[in-house]
Each structure stands twice: as structure tokens, then as C-alpha cells.
Amino acid sequence: MRHPLAFAPKRAVIAAALAAALGLAALSADAVTLRWAGRGDMQTTDPHSQNEGLTNNINSLIYEFLVDRDKQLGLVPALAESWTQVNPTTWRFKLRPGVRFHDGTPFTADDVVFSYERAKADSSQLRAYANAAGTPRKIDDLTVEFVTNGPNPIMLEHLATINIMSKAWCEKNKCQKPQNFAAKEDMITAREANGTGPYSLVSRQPDVKTVLKKNPNWWGIKAGRFDGNIDDVVYTPIVSDATRVAALISGEVDLVNDPPPQDVPRLTQTPGIKIMEGSENRIVFIGMDQMRDELLYSNVKGKNPFKDKRVREALYYAVDIEAIKKNTMRGLSAPSGAMLPSPLQTTADIEKRLPYDRERAKKLLAEAGYPSGFEVTLDCPNNRYINDEKICQALAAMWSQVGVNTKVNTMPRAVYFPKLEKNDTSMYMLGWGGGTTDAIFILQPVLATKNGKGDGDYNYGRYTNPKLDDLLAKIKVNVNAEQRLGEIHAALLAHNAETNHIPLHRQVIPWAERANVTAVHRADNQVIPYWVTVQ
């Protein structure tokens, strides 16, 4: 088979095909534009509706947090310029004066209180973090206090997850609650935005393009935070790997932060293109329905094979992770047995994978009562994680070899995530990561029992692991760093002991960019245009 780059259209064809999508004609001739492309599109411009990587990335350019992250992911003041811990459960924040929303409305404590209460709504995928931050209370226009239910050892980490919205704008537009994305709710916040951030939203056309323009009144300009030269940003989803790479080579796109692994070696040798190496804080894994008495998508009737630990272990043993790394990921993955995005809080025992052992997998299936295996459907996105569909196809082939005939059901992320939120799945792929290196940000939303208050919101297998839950309750409030780390290790080992998920690998994501582009590649894989220079 010829290499995908061999099919790259010539520059004139690319320009004709992409000019409308890139929206270049609409931008000022004097402006410096970053033309950024990726496989998928953001889900919504409602910053409290969806907790998904690209969605969070673009929304955080429009909206801001009380506390943000620097180039090394360290926590720095943002809309809160300083803070003090009054007592173990009370934090006081002094807000940055003179800040205005993009519509000119002044930013005050009322907006902070409103935003945190909004983010606690049932339709918010960020409610676990908003709840952890406690109850906000206005002291004066530029002072807010948060009172937590107990000591919060990572309070500032939680504040770096909730974007601040304008109370007046939301009330005016009747969007006091986040968009219910799973129910396909149509709200103004899904296509319009009004933040305080470095860029304002010019337009959003789902699956076509999103256009941002520099906010000349952003407080970060005077503070020295804006050290790039990007005036306008055009994000274009280009699903086809070959077309996305061709657009970069032709010069129609400046930066691609998810180049296909199979094309990276060729891009490294391509004139006018450079590769930025980088690992991402993201673990990719497989989940299984462990709650229903009968799976929705299987030929097994009257019982659920995934309730049997031996079946879950069998599937794990059947995964040849090194083959996936070599053949599917072209070496651009870091296999792991840990359900942990960042390796900073792990141990060798947590990282250790069950070995690839096809015969042991068959033996376990037979012991569990499935000597001839069974059939099941694996749901998988086709434009969210690096080579997601190809990974699922490789897994299906491996599982079929031990008797579990696996049908792969792929779909774009805009369809996939609402399907998972409805628990309309028997087996699924998911990835989890972001800027934080603290394990609670996967233990609480993904690994814990679903309690309707934020814990387990992404536990789509809906299992219960009592030992993990007991440890999580301690982790949430333990301010002794050494003890807390021990509890984190114990919780992760408790998960591994039950094989509640099948971890695969941490993503390694190089960026591909034009030679005249200088960008900052953070471990959360977020593109920050105000740190980008295009010469």
C-alpha cells in the first residue's frame, strides 16, 4: 500500500478545498493568524457542559479560571490574583480588578458565585470539581470565600477546572444551567460565548471551523502573559489523516497537534515541517458494563459475562500491548497497567501489566463458563484519540483469537460521548487526562462508584469497588501528603486487583508544525495561541 502522503493533493487543490473551511478571507490582512487543525471538533462552547480535551482547550481561550496553569502546568494566579486559607475549610480569594467580559460587563464576585453554582448542575460534566471547591460566598465585589465540606488538599487544582461566566449574560440569554449535551439540547451557549479570556469567539460552525480573535483588553497582555503574536485563531477539524497532513505540507495549515503516528517519520524528513516531541498526561483504556444482569450488545442471554472477574482478566491477558505499540502506534505510546494519566504518582506495582498470555485467557474463559467464548460489541470513537479506531480493531482481532468475537462499532465523538453518557454500551474505549498530575482527577470521576453527585460520573461500567471508595473518601480530605499518596497507591492497586478496566497506554503525541511556527507543547496537549509565534 502506498504511504498516505503519496496521495497528498497539490497546493492549488488543497487551497480550493479548504479556503472556505479555514475562513481566511474573513480575517484582517494585517493580523497574524494561527491555522490549527485536528481530527475532531470541540463539542460545545458551553464551558460547563462537556469535560473533553479539545472542548476544554478552546473554551479556556475564551473563558478563564480563578487559577490557571503555566507552560510547565504549574498553578498561577488568573482571575484570582491572590488567596489565603483562613482555616482548614475556608479559602478567601481576592479577584483581579478592572477585568471585563467581552461584552464590556465588569467581572465581579457575583460571576464567580454564579459560575460555581452553575457548574454544580446535573447537566454539568464538571460538577465533581465544582462540588469539591465547596460553597462560594461573596464578601465584596472583588472578594470571594469558599467553604468546603472538609479539608481539600488540592483546592487550587479544583479551581483550575471551572471557567467563569457572566451572570448577567447567562440570565439575559436564559442559560443559567449548562447545556444538556447528552439530550442534544440547543442553547445559545453551544455556539456563542462571552468570557474574559485572551480571545473572543467570532464564529463557530460545528464540524467546519471555529474562529477566535484576540481580546485587546485582556488583563494578561499588560501582565506579560501574552508572549506570542497570534491575533486570530482558526481551528479546522479535518477528519481524514491524509488530508490533514496534506494541508500542513501545502501550507494551508500551520499546526496539527494530532498527526497520525504512521506519518511522523515522513514528516520529520519533509522540508518546511518540524516535529515537536511530547508525551501527554492521558491514559487510554477499555471499560466494560459490570452492572446489567444482561449485556445490551452480546449473544449471552440471562447473565453478564463482565460481572465475572475471570472474564475481565481473560480479555486483559489477550491484549498484546507491544504489538499495538509497534504496529498500530508506530512506537508512539507508553504501555501501562496503571489507570493514571500522569506517571508522577505511580509505582512499579501499579504500572505492572498482566502479561500477554493467550492460553491463560482461554483457560480463564473456560473456567468462567465460556469455553467457546461469546460475542460482544466494542464501541469506539473514530476521531478522538490517536488511532482510536485502529486500536479497537486490533483489540477485536486479539479477543476473537481467544473466542470472544468482537464487533467494533465506531462513530465520531459528537455521537460517541452522548451514547456513553446514556450508558448505552457493553464495552467501550475511553481516555482520561489533562493538566493536573493528581490521581484524584481520575479516581473520583472515573473509578469511583457513581453517586449522582459527581463521583463516578464517567464510570460507564457502573461497577462498585468498595475498597477504592473507602480510600477515596480519605484521599479527598487528607492534608498529610505522605499518607495521602499511600492512600492513592492503595486505591489504584484496589482497582487493578479487580480489573475494573483494561488499561492500554499513555498517549505520546508529537505535534507537526510549519517551520515558521514556534509553540509550547504542554503535557495536557493543549494549544495555547498566546504562546505561539508565526514568523
Side-chain angles (χ1 to χ4, degrees):
M1 180 180 290
R2 296 174 66 192
H3 191 279
L5 292 182
F7 295 96
K10 294 187 177 181
R11 183 185 178 98
V13 178
I14 287 283
L18 296 178
L22 293 171
L24 301 181
L27 302 177
S28 168
D30 297 329
V32 178
T33 302
L34 175 67
R35 299 163 302 173
W36 162 28
R39 289 181 72 199
D41 198 11
M42 70 183 302
Q43 303 298 290
T44 176
T45 47
D46 189 317
H48 301 150
S49 173
Q50 291 290 286
N51 185 15
E52 185 269 333
L54 178 63
T55 303
N56 292 342
N57 187 169
I58 296 178
N59 279 333
S60 70
L61 303 176
I62 303 167
Y63 293 98
E64 294 186 276
F65 311 105
L66 293 180
V67 180
D68 209 344
R69 297 189 182 276
D70 62 19
K71 296 175 183 178
Q72 291 76 41
L73 294 175
L75 295 169
V76 294
L79 289 179
E81 62 177 7
S82 64
W83 49 83
T84 56
Q85 188 171 4
V86 179
N87 59 52
T89 58
T90 305
W91 293 70
R92 180 172 296 167
F93 293 84
K94 296 298 294 183
L95 305 181
R96 194 173 295 277
V99 175
R100 291 183 177 272
F101 287 93
H102 296 152
D103 66 356
T105 306
F107 158 69
T108 72
D110 291 325
D111 302 304
V112 175
V113 173
F114 168 80
S115 296
Y116 274 80
E117 293 303 330
R118 184 180 192 271
K120 294 178 182 180
D122 290 345
S123 54
S124 168
Q125 284 201 348
L126 295 159
R127 59 181 178 171
Y129 311 144
N131 286 330
T135 302
R137 180 170 69 93
K138 174 183 177 180
I139 304 301
D140 58 44
D141 280 352
L142 292 177
T143 309
V144 176
E145 276 190 355
F146 285 82
V147 178
T148 58
N149 291 332
N152 184 346
I154 55 166
M155 180 69 172
L156 299 181
E157 296 272 2
H158 284 117
L159 296 187
T161 64
I162 306 299
N163 285 125
I164 305 302
M165 302 184 74
S166 164
K167 178 183 179 182
W169 185 81
C170 287
E171 290 177 344
K172 175 184 176 182
N173 290 288
K174 296 180 174 56
C175 51
Q176 292 95 325
K177 289 187 177 182
Q179 173 200 16
N180 189 327
F181 189 81
K184 300 181 179 180
E185 183 178 15
D186 182 30
M187 289 180 64
I188 188 173
T189 51
R191 57 189 178 275
E192 297 184 26
N194 177 38
T196 60
Y199 293 91
S200 59
L201 180 66
V202 175
S203 64
R204 166 161 159 72
Q205 295 173 261
D207 298 320
V208 179
K209 71 173 182 292
T210 299
V211 181
L212 310 178
K213 180 173 287 292
K214 180 180 178 180
N215 171 16
N217 300 314
W218 184 46
W219 62 268
I221 297 175
K222 289 183 179 180
R225 301 279 179 95
F226 203 117
D227 58 7
N229 69 344
I230 302 302
D231 299 303
D232 298 308
V233 180
V234 178
Y235 176 80
T236 307
I238 305 176
V239 175
S240 165
D241 287 344
T243 304
R244 195 164 69 258
V245 170
L248 178 69
I249 293 173
S250 72
E252 300 303 321
V253 164
D254 300 308
L255 184 150
V256 172
N257 68 325
D258 59 354
Q262 64 270 19
D263 287 338
V264 170
R266 180 71 65 90
L267 286 169
T268 303
Q269 303 298 321
T270 301
I273 303 297
K274 62 183 179 182
I275 297 293
M276 291 180 65
E277 296 290 346
S279 296
E280 186 184 11
N281 287 343
R282 184 171 303 279
I283 186 74
V284 179
F285 54 91
I286 299 299
M288 299 153 281
D289 179 354
Q290 295 157 62
M291 190 206 74
R292 288 186 175 91
D293 292 329
E294 180 179 299
L295 293 176
L296 293 177
Y297 304 103
S298 173
N299 67 339
V300 178
K301 301 304 176 185
K303 59 180 178 177
N304 177 350
F306 292 146
K307 285 190 174 187
D308 192 318
K309 177 183 170 182
R310 293 170 295 184
V311 173
R312 303 195 299 270
E313 284 188 347
L315 293 174
Y316 196 153
Y317 278 115
V319 174
D320 186 348
I321 197 66
E322 291 300 325
I324 291 175
K325 177 180 179 179
K326 179 182 178 182
N327 301 323
T328 307
M329 301 304 293
R330 305 299 175 98
L332 294 175
S333 65
S336 174
M339 285 293 293
L340 195 61
S342 168
L344 293 183
Q345 290 185 327
T346 194
T347 68
D349 285 344
I350 296 169
E351 290 292 315
K352 186 178 180 180
R353 292 185 56 83
L354 294 184
Y356 172 51
D357 190 333
R358 193 185 299 175
E359 293 308 312
R360 190 166 182 178
K362 291 179 180 178
K363 182 179 178 182
L364 284 167
L365 286 170
E367 290 177 0
Y370 304 97
S372 301
F374 58 91
E375 296 175 5
V376 70
T377 296
L378 170 63
D379 292 319
C380 186
N382 57 19
N383 64 350
R384 174 58 188 98
Y385 310 111
I386 301 299
N387 278 345
D388 40 20
E389 183 173 0
K390 293 178 181 178
I391 294 170
C392 287
Q393 290 170 343
L395 290 171
M398 293 170 185
W399 289 331
S400 295
Q401 288 175 351
V402 298
V404 179
N405 294 316
T406 307
K407 175 187 175 183
V408 177
N409 179 32
T410 65
M411 64 205 81
R413 66 175 82 183
V415 178
Y416 185 69
F417 290 121
K419 178 178 171 68
L420 292 191
E421 287 177 43
K422 296 173 184 176
N423 295 112
D424 180 20
T425 185
S426 294
M427 197 176 194
Y428 59 91
M429 169 184 273
L430 196 62
W432 200 261
T436 182
T437 58
D438 196 277
I440 198 173
F441 284 88
I442 190 168
L443 286 169
Q444 184 177 7
V446 180
L447 307 187
T449 299
K450 185 176 178 65
N451 65 1
K453 299 177 182 178
D455 289 10
D457 275 359
Y458 298 84
N459 177 354
Y460 297 129
R462 291 181 294 174
Y463 63 82
T464 293
N465 187 323
K467 186 174 181 180
L468 187 152
D469 290 337
D470 290 343
L471 287 160
L472 177 61
K474 298 175 182 178
I475 292 165
K476 288 179 180 179
V477 298
N478 194 342
V479 295
N480 182 308
E482 185 176 351
Q483 287 181 357
R484 184 174 182 273
L485 183 58
E487 291 161 354
I488 285 172
H489 292 163
L492 291 168
L493 287 171
H495 169 277
N496 289 0
E498 293 299 321
T499 317
N500 292 132
H501 295 88
I502 302 173
L504 299 175
H505 56 242
R506 294 189 180 97
Q507 289 194 153
V508 176
I509 305 184
W511 290 4
E513 57 192 21
R514 300 290 301 174
N516 64 331
V517 176
T518 302
V520 175
H521 190 327
R522 293 200 314 193
D524 60 358
N525 201 45
Q526 291 202 359
V527 175
I528 312 297
Y530 55 87
W531 293 337
V532 175
T533 299
V534 175
Q535 297 176 333

